Amino acid sequence: MSKSLMQTYNRLPITFAHGNGAWLTDTEGKRYLDALSGIAVCGLGHAHPAVTEALREQVGKLLHTSNLYHISAQNELGDMLTQMSGMERVFFGNSGAEANEAAIKLARLHGRQKGIDKPAIVVMERSFHGRTLATLSATGSRKAQAGFEPLVQGFVRVPYNDIAAIQSVAENRQDIVAVLVEPVQGEGGINIPDDGYLAGIREICDTNDWLMMLDEIQSGMGRTGQYFAFQHTNIQPDVITLAKSLGNGVPIGACLARGGAADLFAPGNHGSTFGGNPLVCQAALVVCKTLVQERLEERAAQLGERILSGLQQNLRDTGGVRGIRGKGLMLAVELDRPCGELVNEALADGLLINVTAERVVRLLPPLVMSDMEADQLVVQLSKLIVDFLAEKS
Ligand SMILES: *Cc1c(COP(=O)(O)O)cnc(C)c1O
């Protein structure tokens, strides 16, 4: 533990020295199977040769020039992302929170354009959108907000996966300009909405001239079995936000828009010094190219099914297991009790997992995991959960 760092994290007693694919090695030489990918960041795994090579080359050429000039890798990445997503324009920042800040600012400009002075955005219970003042105000967690009041105004909260609740807001308020929602909630416990939820939101947004804004920061870049989770449906959002696995560990975030929303920013009303610099754009470019060329989104779907059905087979009849669910490689085993200790038990066993929303074991494995590694994950985790539940009952 370091006394010179602000105590913002409860860190596990471990330091990693290097990694390879789905494996990490700590400073003592012990190896761990990584079922978390640095919280959905290292989708291509650790030390991916194509990423390493692209970064090496760019580091020796040019790191940063600022957005006072054209940046060819940024142009190329913009083209690639708009093609993959069906969106029209991209703004690059450095994190998920910044991507969402850009989306929130777009929504407010959209409102102003409609003559609404105090525009409000519909957000969800149990959502997570980041830690800046605006994004923590949008986040559906009192824990994230406590102590930081006054919160940023202009958010209206409704339950997740509840179309009627959004419809009721539409009928009762004239100040709404957008909906901001995760297509699958990550931090909130891997909550997968009913089929038709996104289409229902699309319809309400169309009827009321609201922007439909999807936070794909955790679900995007192939993780759920499509490039972006909304592509499991046939709707197209107005705005999507990306970060996490976009740079495979190099900090980059993006806000993508189409239609009127793509034209709202003009020179001078938004920006970022680092945003979209040559280094991070080269990293994200190679991530996108690898994803597309190797069809890793299809691999994520396959692997996800393999892990899900393995866990279902092993844990279906285990008392204390409340639910086993997943969309691609966003996977969860929900227990009937708080289970934070499981993280330490898994660590001792050489496995990296996460517990979120107190009772939900969350898995976000890299898309490059092999079948054998996935099977090992299922066996190891099932045993840990069975033992944990037996001990506690
Ligand atoms: C992680 C996350 C964020 C915040 O991203 P940062 O890079 O930590 O700012 C926002 N939304 C979702 C859905 C996330 O999973």
Side-chain angles (χ1 to χ4, degrees), residues 239-261:
V239 175
I240 67 175
T241 54
L242 304 176
K244 294 213 161 86
S245 58
L246 181 54
N248 211 58
V250 172
I252 177 169
C255 175
L256 288 69
R258 73 177 177 98

Side-chain angles (χ1 to χ4, degrees), residues 116-187:
I116 297 172
D117 299 336
K118 291 191 172 174
I121 301 170
V122 177
V123 292
M124 307 304 151
E125 289 173 7
R126 297 195 286 175
S127 62
F128 185 79
H129 298 297
R131 300 284 194 170
T132 61
L133 276 171
T135 58
L136 77 83
S137 301
T139 290
S141 151
R142 272 306 297 154
K143 226 165 105 185
Q145 298 172 341
F148 300 113
E149 296 83 0
L151 299 179
V152 172
Q153 296 184 356
F155 297 103
V156 177
R157 200 168 303 285
V158 298
Y160 190 61
N161 196 21
D162 185 345
I163 285 291
I166 305 176
Q167 186 56 44
S168 157
V169 171
E171 284 158 17
N172 291 299
R173 295 184 63 140
Q174 305 307 312
D175 58 345
I176 307 295
V177 294
V179 176
L180 174 63
V181 59
E182 295 156 90
V184 176
Q185 285 187 330
E187 305 302 306

Side-chain angles (χ1 to χ4, degrees), residues 51 54-55 246-248 250 252 278-288:
V51 177
L55 282 172
L246 181 54
N248 211 58
V250 172
I252 177 169
L279 182 74
V280 299
C281 287
Q282 282 300 349
L285 254 180
V286 72
V287 169
C288 289

Side-chain angles (χ1 to χ4, degrees), residues 318-335:
T318 306
V321 173
R322 278 274 175 81
I324 306 167
R325 55 183 177 266
K327 188 130 187 138
L329 290 175
M330 288 182 85
L331 296 147
V333 180
E334 181 167 348
L335 305 188

Side-chain angles (χ1 to χ4, degrees), residues 53-236:
E53 187 49 43
L55 282 172
R56 249 194 203 127
E57 203 184 309
Q58 190 60 43
V59 162
K61 253 196 224 163
L62 193 61
L63 296 180
H64 179 87
T65 57
S66 89
N67 287 298
L68 295 174
Y69 310 99
H70 292 280
I71 298 170
S72 53
Q74 193 182 119
N75 296 342
E76 207 185 324
L77 180 61
D79 291 346
M80 181 108 207
L81 284 173
T82 52
Q83 269 167 32
M84 289 167 70
S85 63
M87 304 303 280
E88 288 167 5
R89 285 187 167 157
V90 190
F91 172 83
F92 291 107
N94 313 289
S95 66
E98 282 173 83
N100 284 334
E101 286 276 344
I104 292 163
K105 287 174 81 171
L106 285 178
R108 287 191 169 188
L109 289 178
H110 176 67
R112 286 288 142 58
Q113 217 174 47
K114 299 205 297 172
I116 297 172
D117 299 336
K118 291 191 172 174
I121 301 170
V122 177
V123 292
M124 307 304 151
E125 289 173 7
R126 297 195 286 175
S127 62
F128 185 79
H129 298 297
R131 300 284 194 170
T132 61
L133 276 171
T135 58
L136 77 83
S137 301
T139 290
S141 151
R142 272 306 297 154
K143 226 165 105 185
Q145 298 172 341
F148 300 113
E149 296 83 0
L151 299 179
V152 172
Q153 296 184 356
F155 297 103
V156 177
R157 200 168 303 285
V158 298
Y160 190 61
N161 196 21
D162 185 345
I163 285 291
I166 305 176
Q167 186 56 44
S168 157
V169 171
E171 284 158 17
N172 291 299
R173 295 184 63 140
Q174 305 307 312
D175 58 345
I176 307 295
V177 294
V179 176
L180 174 63
V181 59
E182 295 156 90
V184 176
Q185 285 187 330
E187 305 302 306
I190 310 290
N191 304 316
I192 304 165
D194 298 336
D195 290 345
Y197 181 57
L198 294 184
I201 294 177
R202 179 70 274 174
E203 205 179 312
I204 295 173
C205 287
D206 286 340
T207 306
N208 296 283
D209 188 22
W210 298 351
L211 298 181
M212 177 178 184
M213 311 201 298
L214 295 183
D215 180 341
E216 293 248 19
I217 289 164
Q218 194 159 145
S219 59
M221 300 305 292
R223 177 155 295 279
T224 69
Q226 295 281 350
Y227 295 149
F228 307 103
F230 77 84
Q231 291 170 330
H232 290 283
T233 73
N234 49 27
I235 62 108
Q236 187 73 28

Side-chain angles (χ1 to χ4, degrees), residues 284-314:
L285 254 180
V286 72
V287 169
C288 289
K289 286 178 181 168
T290 306
L291 176 61
V292 171
Q293 278 162 16
E294 299 184 8
R295 296 175 178 256
L296 289 177
E297 80 290 358
E298 287 176 17
R299 179 65 189 149
Q302 276 176 6
L303 260 175
E305 268 173 44
R306 189 180 185 100
I307 295 169
L308 190 64
S309 68
L311 291 172
Q312 276 164 344
Q313 228 157 45
N314 293 350

Side-chain angles (χ1 to χ4, degrees), residues 12 32 311 315 318 320-321 332-356 358-363 377 379-392:
L12 294 160
Y32 300 79
L311 291 172
L315 296 172
T318 306
V321 173
V333 180
E334 181 167 348
L335 305 188
D336 65 354
R337 64 201 80 175
C339 59
E341 298 154 57
L342 263 172
V343 172
N344 284 299
E345 287 167 21
L347 202 63
D349 205 31
L351 178 66
L352 305 180
I353 59 167
N354 174 250
V355 167
T356 190
E358 273 203 327
R359 294 154 193 241
V360 180
V361 178
R362 173 172 57 159
L363 305 177
L377 161 61
V379 170
Q380 248 178 302
L381 180 63
S382 302
K383 183 168 185 321
L384 282 163
I385 290 175
V386 168
D387 291 351
F388 172 80
L389 290 169
E391 247 168 63
K392 303 274 148 178

